[in-house]
């Protein structure tokens, strides 16, 4: 999960003519820049899956020696589809015609967004299982998911919250446009509209997890990678190595 952008500082001019002139020019330049790069926020659509997958791959599957390989692409798609199997709501930020950020939510008792996501996930799993390296990659992905399930149970998080923020990722190309902060605020507004008071999320030390501390969320669980078993078939190393510590955060909508 990615961090939100810092708020941009506002500049005020002096009272003299030169200051006013500079302020006017600055305001005009800012307005022109905003017009060129205006961010659009809209509901997530199935046609967004390819771009979301690429964003996910660039963020979390940019790992040597697998960078840019078909298995990296399939693993990223598999991860996104797993979220979409349960997602009941979602929003994307679009900047210059491309997805700059995405939020996916799971609110129990609400219908899932895309009923075909499960079928697509099974197809990806079959493709990964078709060869030895793909099977090892899939085994690791399923292991990571299993860790989250165990952490949820140990923290009793289902009883303590009414929704899950499943995915929150922002492209590095969107920095300076307030995409992360805006998506996060809008996410909480959506949850409030559903009557959700508290939500939770998973993150780890590969992300800027301090963002959630700054947002006032409570860290209710953590698990270092040293507690994870190796899951790489007969090898002594996982296909997707990780030395991250995993966290669960609980927040108020």
């Amino acid at each position: 999960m990615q961090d939100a952008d810092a708020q941009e500082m506002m500049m005020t001019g002096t009272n003299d003519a030169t200051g006013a002139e500079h302020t006017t020019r600055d305001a005009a330049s800012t307005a022109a820049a905003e017009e060129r790069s205006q961010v659009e926020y809209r509901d997530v659509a199935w046609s967004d899956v390819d771009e979301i997958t690429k964003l996910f791959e660039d963020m979390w599957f940019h790992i040597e020696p697998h960078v840019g390989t078909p298995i990296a692409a399939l693993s990223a798609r598999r991860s996104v589809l797993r979220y979409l199997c349960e997602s009941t709501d979602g929003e994307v930020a679009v900047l210059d015609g491309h997805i700059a950020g995405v939020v996916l939510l799971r609110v129990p008792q609400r219908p899932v967004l895309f009923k075909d996501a499960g079928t697509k996930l099974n197809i990806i799993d079959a493709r990964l299982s078709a060869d030895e390296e793909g099977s090892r990659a899939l085994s690791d992905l399923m292991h990571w998911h299993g860790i989250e399930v165990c952490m949820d149970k140990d923290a009793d998080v289902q009883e303590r919250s009414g929704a899950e923020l499943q995915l929150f990722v922002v492209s590095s190309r969107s920095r300076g446009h307030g995409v992360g902060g805006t998506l996060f605020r809008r996410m909480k507004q959506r949850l409030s509209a559903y009557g959700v008071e508290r939500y939770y999320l998973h993150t780890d030390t590969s992300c800027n997890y301090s963002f959630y501390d700054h947002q006032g969320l409570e860290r209710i669980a953590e698990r270092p990678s040293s507690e994870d078993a190796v899951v790489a078939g007969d090898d002594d190393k996982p296909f997707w190595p990780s030395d991250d510590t995993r966290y669960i955060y609980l927040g108020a909508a």
Side-chain angles (χ1 to χ4, degrees):
M1 296 193 183
Q2 283 297 99
D3 56 308
D5 301 304
Q7 292 183 349
E8 296 181 358
M9 296 181 63
M10 297 180 64
M11 296 181 61
T12 56
T14 62
N15 289 328
D16 59 24
T18 302
E21 181 181 354
H22 286 172
T23 301
T24 301
R25 287 204 300 267
D26 290 344
S29 298
T30 300
E34 290 177 349
E35 183 176 354
R36 288 195 301 271
S37 300
Q38 186 173 4
V39 182
E40 172 194 358
Y41 296 89
R42 60 166 174 78
D43 290 344
V44 66
W46 183 255
S47 58
D48 297 325
V49 171
D50 286 347
E51 278 203 74
I52 294 172
T53 297
K54 181 57 179 169
L55 185 58
F56 197 94
E57 180 182 355
D58 290 344
M59 291 293 178
W60 286 293
F61 288 94
H62 205 70
I63 301 173
E64 295 290 353
H66 311 298
V67 178
T69 64
I71 288 183
L74 285 173
S75 295
R77 183 170 290 270
R78 202 262 177 197
S79 299
V80 171
L81 287 171
R82 184 179 68 78
Y83 291 130
L84 289 176
C85 283
E86 299 180 342
S87 295
T88 60
D89 201 354
E91 187 171 43
V92 295
V94 180
L95 176 65
D96 296 332
H98 297 284
I99 292 178
V102 59
V103 161
L104 294 179
L105 295 170
R106 181 182 65 84
V107 181
Q109 312 308 319
R110 293 192 60 82
V112 297
L113 286 173
F114 307 114
K115 295 181 179 180
D116 291 338
T119 301
K120 302 295 185 183
L121 177 63
N122 291 335
I123 292 172
I124 297 299
D125 283 357
R127 292 179 63 183
L128 284 169
S129 299
D131 63 54
E132 182 179 352
E133 286 204 337
S135 294
R136 292 176 61 228
L138 178 59
S139 196
D140 277 7
L141 294 175
M142 295 177 70
H143 177 67
W144 289 354
H145 183 218
I147 291 172
E148 292 185 353
V149 171
C150 289
M151 290 181 68
D152 288 353
K153 183 177 180 180
D154 291 343
D156 200 22
V157 72
Q158 306 290 346
E159 300 297 324
R160 301 171 66 178
S161 63
E164 179 184 3
L165 173 53
Q166 292 193 298
L167 179 63
F168 174 40
V169 57
V170 177
S171 169
S172 59
R173 296 188 300 272
S174 68
R175 289 174 182 166
H177 293 275
V179 170
T182 302
L183 273 175
F184 199 78
R185 288 191 297 273
R186 291 170 66 94
M187 176 274 297
K188 294 200 294 183
Q189 290 170 358
R190 283 177 178 248
L191 291 180
S192 294
Y194 292 137
V196 173
E197 296 181 355
R198 297 180 72 78
Y199 64 94
Y200 75 98
L201 60 90
H202 286 267
T203 188
D204 58 55
T205 48
S206 70
C207 309
N208 188 2
Y209 59 91
S210 62
F211 168 73
Y212 302 113
D213 295 312
H214 295 154
Q215 293 293 323
L217 279 73
E218 177 188 3
R219 188 188 302 174
I220 61 172
E222 66 179 83
R223 176 169 173 156
S225 60
S226 59
E227 296 182 10
D228 298 343
V230 173
V231 285
D234 295 329
D235 292 345
D236 59 353
K237 294 181 180 180
F239 190 86
W240 297 113
S242 172
D243 58 359
D244 302 316
T245 297
R246 305 174 190 279
Y247 302 127
I248 298 178
Y249 278 85
L250 188 66

